[in-house]
């Protein structure tokens, strides 16, 4: 417990494992309520994936709903700001959510209320995966509520009641506000032919699934092949002809590479559908899908083989959902393509039934159904050295012979997981399975890495002593599922299994009485085998670790007396006798047989090149725009200024008074001289003096200063007219008056001036 508190990653892995067990969600919920140190981690694991929005609705107060215990029936009152507090807190933990309209546990009005009353833009801001299954256009529109910038995986299953226009509008909205890495569309209606244009902004797609009519159109083929980061593709080929499949690859440049083992260097050879025998036809391989590693195909065997032959990418995993063929030649063609084209890259191969095959098998499981069985031949397999997983689960092609198991073991020596129709039923009327313990021994002898085996067998008594050879014992096999297998001798089977798999952790078989295909006698027999096997395994391992020593005793050799090799002459001294003896020494040896097994700890390690201190964080790359208005008018200060000019009125006499002169005014020869003597009276003119005269002069000056020029002109003409009247009046003593009118706006004429 203390170790879990020190390492949050270990605690998270443990809680995720508990979630997968029966009743795991209830257990994790109790942990979150009892341990405060693990509460946050437990809540994150508990709320990470939701199969409905009902858990989120249950966080709101009960008085808001029509029925407090059934919030899916709809709201009775609109939620207020305080009612969203718990929803927003736990909504940040949700990363995956699903919705199924056909279940009917959520009323449609709930989505409109949430849209109107939500307190922030996204109630699930960290949502990364959305699975939406609907039957109407209104249900498809409700998913827009959960489209967030953080969304990366979108899976949509729509019914036949949704037109293409509604689907196109939905995909347009999805493409404009998300950056997806996984896109899955399942529909019974035809996909829009302009789907690539709608999804042209989604350039980061790594997985695409298109299970709908129209998925093999040329435009979709060009779009899918242009995705540089595409690693997984799922597509429905149905029973399409070779020409339709070839049109999918139109526009993709040919690679010029051929699959090893074929005759033509520039072409691969695929089976021609509908031929009486296996006929190979040349098709150019395509260089698109360079990063493709996982391919899933739904349809018939011939169409799937044709599609596989045109993909030049080094596929590592292939999944086929097939309609079972009646002729074995189509299986042989499929094995040939796999063995020759993906020999060095294929690691996983899975075959499962299509939707039609599953429906037919469901009918057969009833009392009215017929139990049809057909052999699935594996003799067409060639060497696949990198294949580690081989799974086949078909309702009809479920018969495997020991010969097929031998071909599988020799072609795929590095298999780790083998599943051969473990769910198949074998009623008494149709006999036992065809595979036996001898075929099981072939797998354990050739596949040294196999740790999981699911296969129905007929475990009967055998006299074949070669099954007890040490080569047939596997140190890696730890999981064995026999399904509806038959067993005749529980003790003998347990002895053989203890030799084949001494480290086997247990045997699984179907023991439910209400399960179709249940036979009580065989279920009891396998129960007996599972009870005996642990003791026999313990004894087997003890015998192999304590094998007795073998000592070879060699008797001492008998040396015969050798004849004398010399002749003694008389008188010679006595010779010393020397005897040479040889002793053959052989140290005692003991032979011990030891079977060891290393303790292996399996741990999943992510090989994605990412530093350990890095966490996945989505950044919205939209530029932040802030509108700001700036006044560019300069500051203006208004001030009144009196700009009247200072006027000084001054009267100036500009009239030059001429002196006495003589003028000849006649043109005739007669000359006349006019002499005029002007006498100026020194007496003041009574009209030029006085109060009224001064007043008139002042008024004239004022009018001159203030009046417009036109008025001044009029006043001058009036003054000249008045002066002319004065001149016409005779003065006494013959003196001409030199005064002028007080309103004359000009210089004063004075005749006395020189």
């Amino acid at each position: 417990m203390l170790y879990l508190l020190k390492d949050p990653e270990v605690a998270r892995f443990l809680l995720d494992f508990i979630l997968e067990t029966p009743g795991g969600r209830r257990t994790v919920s109790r942990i979150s309520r009892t341990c405060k140190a693990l509460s946050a981690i437990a809540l994150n694991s508990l709320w990470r994936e939701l199969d409905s929005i009902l858990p989120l609705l249950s966080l709101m107060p009960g008085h808001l709903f029509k029925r407090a215990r059934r919030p899916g029936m709809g709201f009775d009152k609109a939620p207020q700001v305080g009612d969203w507090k718990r929803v927003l807190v736990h909504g940040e933990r949700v990363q995956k959510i699903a919705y199924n309209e056909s279940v009917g546990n959520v009323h449609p009005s709930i989505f409109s209320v949430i849209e109107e009353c939500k307190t922030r833009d996204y109630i699930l801001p960290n949502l990364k995966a959305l699975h939406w299954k609907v039957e109407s256009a209104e249900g498809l529109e409700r998913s827009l509520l959960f489209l967030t910038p953080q969304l990366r995986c979108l899976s949509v299953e729509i019914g036949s009641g949704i037109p293409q226009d509604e689907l196109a509008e939905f995909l347009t909205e999805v493409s404009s506000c998300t950056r997806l890495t996984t896109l899955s569309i399942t529909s019974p209606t035809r996909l829009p032919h302009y789907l690539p244009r709608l999804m042209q902004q989604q350039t980061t797609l790594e997985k695409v699934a298109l299970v709908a009519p129209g998925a093999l159109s040329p435009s979709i083929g060009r779009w899918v092949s242009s995705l540089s980061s595409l690693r997984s593709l799922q597509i429905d080929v149905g029973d399409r002809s070779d020409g339709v499949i070839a049109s999918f690859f139109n526009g993709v440049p040919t690679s010029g590479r051929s699959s090893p083992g074929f005759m033509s260097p520039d072409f691969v050879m695929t089976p021609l559908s509908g031929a009486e025998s296996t006929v190979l036809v040349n098709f150019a391989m395509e260089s698109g899908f360079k990063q493709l590693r996982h391919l899933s195909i739904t349809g018939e065997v011939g169409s799937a083989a044709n599609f596989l032959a045109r993909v030049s990418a080094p596929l590592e995993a292939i999944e086929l959902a097939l309609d079972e063929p009646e002729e074995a030649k189509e299986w042989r063609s499929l094995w040939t393509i796999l063995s020759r084209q993906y020999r060095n890259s294929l690691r996983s191969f899975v075959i499962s039934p299509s939707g039609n095959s599953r429906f037919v098998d469901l009918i057969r499981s009833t009392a009215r159904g017929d139990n049809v069985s057909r052999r699935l031949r594996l003799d067409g397999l060639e060497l696949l050295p990198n294949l580690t997983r081989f799974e086949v689960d078909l309702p009809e092609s479920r018969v495997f012979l020991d010969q097929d198991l031998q071909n599988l073991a020799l072609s795929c020596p590095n298999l780790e997981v083998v599943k051969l129709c473990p769910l198949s039923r074998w009623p008494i009327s149709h006999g036992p399975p065809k595979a036996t313990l001898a075929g099981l021994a072939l797998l354990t002898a050739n596949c040294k890495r196999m740790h999981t085996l699911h296969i129905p067998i007929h475990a009967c008594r055998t006299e074949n002593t070669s099954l007890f050879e040490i080569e047939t014992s596997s140190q890696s096999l730890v999981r064995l599922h026999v399904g509806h297998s038959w067993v005749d001798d529980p003790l003998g089977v347990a002895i053989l299994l203890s030799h084949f798999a001494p480290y086997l952790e247990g045997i699984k078989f179907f023991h439910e009485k209400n399960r179709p295909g249940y036979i009580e006698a065989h279920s009891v027999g396998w129960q007996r085998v599972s009870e005996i096997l642990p003791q026999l395994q313990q004894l087997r391992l003890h015998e192999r670790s304590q094998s007795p020593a073998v000592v070879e005793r060699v008797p001492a050799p008998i040396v015969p007396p050798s004849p004398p090799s010399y002749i003694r002459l008389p008188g010679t001294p006595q010779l010393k006798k020397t005897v040479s003896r040889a002793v053959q020494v052989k140290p005692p040896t003991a032979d011990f047989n030891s079977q060891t097994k290393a303790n292996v700890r399996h741990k999943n390690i992510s090989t994605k090149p990412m530093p350990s201190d890095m966490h996945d964080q989505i950044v919205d790359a939209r530029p932040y725009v802030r509108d700001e208005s700036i006044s560019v008018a300069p500051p203006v200060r208004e001030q009144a200024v009196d700009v009247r000019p200072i006027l000084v009125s001054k009267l100036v006499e500009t009239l030059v008074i001429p002196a006495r002169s003589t003028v000849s005014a006649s043109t005739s020869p007669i000359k006349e001289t006019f002499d005029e003597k002007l006498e100026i009276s020194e007496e003041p003119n009574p009209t030029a003096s006085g109060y009224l005269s001064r007043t008139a002069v002042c008024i004239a000056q004022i009018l001159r200063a203030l009046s417009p020029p036109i008025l001044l002109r009029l006043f001058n003409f009036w003054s000249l007219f008045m002066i002319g009247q004065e001149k016409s009046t005779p003065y006494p003593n013959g003196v001409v008056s030199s005064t002028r009118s007080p309103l004359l706006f000009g210089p004063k004429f004075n005749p006395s001036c020189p």
Side-chain angles (χ1 to χ4, degrees):
M1 183 66 181
L2 185 60
Y3 183 75
L4 294 178
L5 299 178
K6 291 182 179 179
D7 195 344
E9 288 296 324
V10 176
R12 184 174 62 83
F13 279 118
L14 178 61
L15 293 175
D16 292 343
F17 177 78
I18 295 175
L19 281 175
E20 301 298 330
T21 60
R25 301 191 71 87
R26 180 177 296 179
T27 303
V28 176
S29 177
R30 291 172 178 174
I31 293 175
S32 65
R33 294 194 301 267
T34 55
C35 182
K36 184 178 292 185
L38 295 176
S39 179
I41 303 177
L43 288 175
N44 291 337
S45 299
L46 192 63
W47 287 91
R48 183 180 296 113
E49 297 183 5
L50 299 179
D51 56 358
S52 176
I53 66 170
L54 288 179
L56 292 173
L57 296 177
S58 62
L59 297 175
M60 292 186 175
H63 68 275
L64 297 177
F65 301 98
K66 296 179 180 179
R67 296 184 63 177
R69 295 185 178 272
R70 299 185 63 182
M73 296 186 65
F75 286 98
D76 189 27
K77 300 179 182 179
Q80 304 299 323
V81 177
D83 301 331
W84 290 92
K85 183 177 180 181
R86 296 178 60 192
V87 176
L88 298 180
V89 171
H90 293 288
E92 295 180 353
R93 296 186 169 98
V94 179
Q95 297 183 6
K96 181 180 180 180
I97 194 169
Y99 172 72
N100 190 350
E101 186 181 18
S102 61
V103 175
N105 56 354
V106 180
H107 196 271
S109 62
I110 293 179
F111 295 93
S112 59
V113 174
I114 294 177
E115 180 68 24
E116 295 175 0
C117 302
K118 61 182 180 180
T119 57
R120 64 184 183 189
D121 295 338
Y122 308 110
I123 59 176
L124 304 178
N126 298 322
L127 187 66
K128 295 183 179 180
L130 178 64
H131 181 79
W132 210 257
K133 185 177 181 180
V134 293
E135 300 292 337
S136 62
E138 293 77 9
L140 184 62
E141 187 178 359
R142 298 184 195 114
S143 63
L144 301 178
L145 181 63
F146 301 96
L147 295 182
T148 65
Q150 309 292 335
L151 190 65
R152 292 296 174 265
C153 303
L154 177 62
S155 177
V156 180
E157 296 184 24
I158 60 178
S160 58
I162 300 178
Q164 284 190 0
D165 296 340
E166 297 291 340
L167 179 60
E169 292 180 3
F170 170 75
L171 294 177
T172 303
E173 185 68 23
V174 169
S175 181
S176 62
C177 62
T178 59
R179 298 286 289 177
L180 299 177
T181 58
T182 301
L183 175 64
S184 175
I185 302 176
T186 304
S187 172
T189 58
R190 188 175 184 84
L191 293 175
H193 65 278
Y194 48 88
L195 177 65
R197 188 178 73 245
L198 300 178
M199 306 302 295
Q200 62 182 354
Q201 298 182 5
Q202 303 295 333
T203 58
T204 59
L205 286 173
E206 299 178 1
K207 181 179 180 181
V208 176
L210 301 175
V211 184
L216 292 177
S217 64
S219 59
I220 293 180
R222 289 189 294 269
W223 168 61
V224 174
S225 62
S226 64
L227 297 175
S228 59
S229 58
L230 183 67
R231 298 187 61 84
S232 178
L233 175 63
Q234 180 181 357
I235 196 166
D236 182 18
V237 298
D239 56 349
R240 302 297 189 271
S241 62
D242 298 339
V244 175
I245 296 176
S247 66
F248 178 81
F249 295 93
N250 287 345
V252 182
T254 57
S255 63
R257 184 182 64 85
S258 63
S259 178
F262 287 92
M263 294 183 297
S264 176
D266 297 326
F267 298 93
V268 296
M269 307 172 70
T270 60
L272 181 63
S273 302
E276 296 298 332
S277 60
T278 303
V279 180
L280 297 179
V281 185
N282 292 339
F283 287 118
M285 296 178 62
E286 309 300 340
S287 63
F289 314 102
K290 295 182 179 180
Q291 301 298 327
L292 189 64
R293 296 297 180 267
H294 180 273
L295 180 61
S296 179
I297 303 177
T298 304
E300 294 186 352
V301 176
S303 300
N306 191 1
F307 192 93
L308 285 171
R310 294 179 178 274
V311 179
S312 62
L315 298 179
E316 297 179 357
I318 298 177
E319 295 183 7
L320 304 178
L322 303 176
D323 296 329
E324 300 180 59
E326 297 181 357
E327 299 180 3
K329 63 174 184 178
E330 297 187 12
W331 288 114
R332 190 180 299 109
S333 302
L334 178 62
W335 304 139
T336 303
I337 291 175
L338 290 178
S339 302
R340 296 184 180 182
Q341 187 164 341
Y342 306 107
R343 173 180 299 177
N344 299 323
S345 62
L346 189 61
R347 298 179 181 273
S348 175
F349 182 73
V350 179
I351 298 179
S352 60
S354 62
N356 296 333
S357 298
R358 292 180 186 275
F359 178 75
V360 173
D361 183 55
L362 180 62
I363 298 299
R364 291 196 186 103
S365 63
T366 61
R368 297 173 296 177
D370 297 333
N371 196 343
V372 180
S373 61
R374 191 181 297 112
R375 180 187 175 186
L376 179 58
R377 303 178 64 94
L378 300 179
D379 51 1
L381 277 176
E382 298 179 9
L383 183 62
L384 294 172
N386 297 323
L387 188 66
T388 60
R389 177 182 292 269
F390 187 86
E391 298 183 13
V392 177
D393 184 13
L394 296 174
E396 294 183 6
S397 303
R398 53 191 173 91
V399 178
F400 296 93
L401 304 181
D402 292 342
Q403 180 183 356
D404 298 324
L405 299 182
Q406 182 180 7
N407 294 332
L408 178 63
L410 295 177
S411 302
C412 311
N414 293 322
L415 282 175
E416 299 178 1
V417 179
V418 178
K419 297 181 181 181
L420 301 176
C421 301
L423 305 179
S424 59
R425 299 180 299 275
W426 301 92
I428 298 177
S429 59
H430 289 77
K434 306 305 178 182
T436 62
L437 290 174
L440 183 62
L442 294 173
L443 288 175
T444 56
N446 294 280
C447 302
K448 297 299 183 181
R449 297 182 179 181
M450 184 176 61
H451 56 78
T452 301
L453 177 60
H454 293 189
I455 182 174
I457 60 175
H458 184 201
C460 57
R461 188 187 300 273
T462 179
E463 302 296 336
N464 188 0
T465 58
S466 63
L467 300 181
F468 290 96
E469 297 292 337
I470 192 65
E471 289 81 6
T472 61
S473 181
S474 174
Q475 300 182 9
S476 59
L477 185 59
V478 293
R479 287 179 288 273
L480 177 62
H481 196 300
V482 294
H484 290 292
S485 297
W486 287 27
V487 58
D488 295 338
D489 184 10
L491 180 59
V493 172
I495 293 174
L496 279 175
L497 290 179
S498 66
H499 173 71
F500 293 157
Y503 297 98
L504 192 65
E505 297 177 355
I507 299 178
K508 292 184 178 182
F509 55 93
F510 295 130
H511 55 82
E512 298 87 354
K513 295 183 179 181
N514 58 349
R515 188 181 185 90
Y518 172 79
I519 302 177
E520 185 177 1
H522 299 300
S523 179
V524 173
W526 284 111
Q527 182 64 33
R528 183 63 178 163
V529 172
S530 63
E531 294 174 356
I532 300 174
L533 184 60
Q535 289 77 14
L536 293 177
Q537 286 178 312
Q538 185 178 2
L539 178 61
R540 183 79 65 180
L541 294 176
H542 181 73
E543 289 177 350
R544 294 179 179 180
S545 62
Q546 300 293 333
S547 59
V550 180
V551 180
E552 182 182 359
R553 297 182 180 274
V554 180
I558 300 176
V559 181
S562 59
S565 58
Y566 59 92
I567 299 177
R568 184 181 177 184
L569 298 176
T572 57
Q574 187 71 26
L575 297 177
K576 295 182 179 180
K577 186 178 180 179
T578 304
V579 179
S580 298
R581 294 183 178 181
V583 180
Q584 185 177 1
V585 180
K586 183 177 181 180
T589 59
D591 295 334
F592 292 94
N593 295 327
S594 177
Q595 184 175 7
T596 60
K597 178 184 177 182
N599 294 328
V600 181
R601 181 181 179 185
H602 298 280
K603 185 177 181 181
N604 297 327
I605 300 176
S606 177
T607 59
K608 186 176 181 180
M610 180 182 293
S612 59
D613 58 344
M614 183 178 295
H615 62 278
D616 189 7
Q617 185 176 1
I618 308 301
V619 179
D620 189 3
R622 296 180 180 178
Y624 177 75
V625 180
R626 180 181 178 182
D627 296 333
E628 184 176 355
S629 299
I630 301 175
S631 178
V632 297
V636 179
R637 181 180 178 184
E638 297 183 358
Q639 185 176 359
V641 179
D642 190 5
V643 294
R644 293 181 181 180
I646 300 175
L647 301 178
V648 178
S649 299
K650 187 175 182 182
L651 185 61
V652 180
E653 296 290 343
T654 59
L655 184 62
V656 180
I657 301 174
R660 182 181 298 176
S661 60
T662 301
V663 179
S664 179
S666 64
T667 57
S668 63
I670 301 174
K671 295 183 181 179
E672 293 182 4
T673 302
F674 294 90
D675 293 332
E676 182 180 1
K677 180 179 181 181
L678 296 177
E679 294 181 2
I680 300 174
S681 176
E682 295 182 1
E683 294 182 359
N685 191 3
T687 59
S689 62
Y691 177 77
L692 294 177
S693 178
R694 289 193 302 272
T695 302
V697 172
C698 293
I699 292 175
Q701 294 179 356
I702 294 173
L703 292 177
R704 181 179 178 85
L706 299 179
S707 299
I710 187 63
L711 294 179
L712 295 178
R713 295 279 186 178
L714 294 176
F715 282 126
N716 287 335
F717 284 123
W718 181 76
S719 301
L720 293 175
F721 176 75
M722 292 301 295
I723 293 174
Q725 292 291 334
E726 290 179 359
K727 286 184 176 182
S728 62
T729 304
Y731 288 92
N733 299 323
V735 180
V736 179
S737 175
S738 64
T739 60
R740 70 172 211 171
S741 174
L743 297 180
L744 182 62
F745 296 91
K748 184 179 179 181
F749 177 74
N750 192 357
S752 61
C753 292

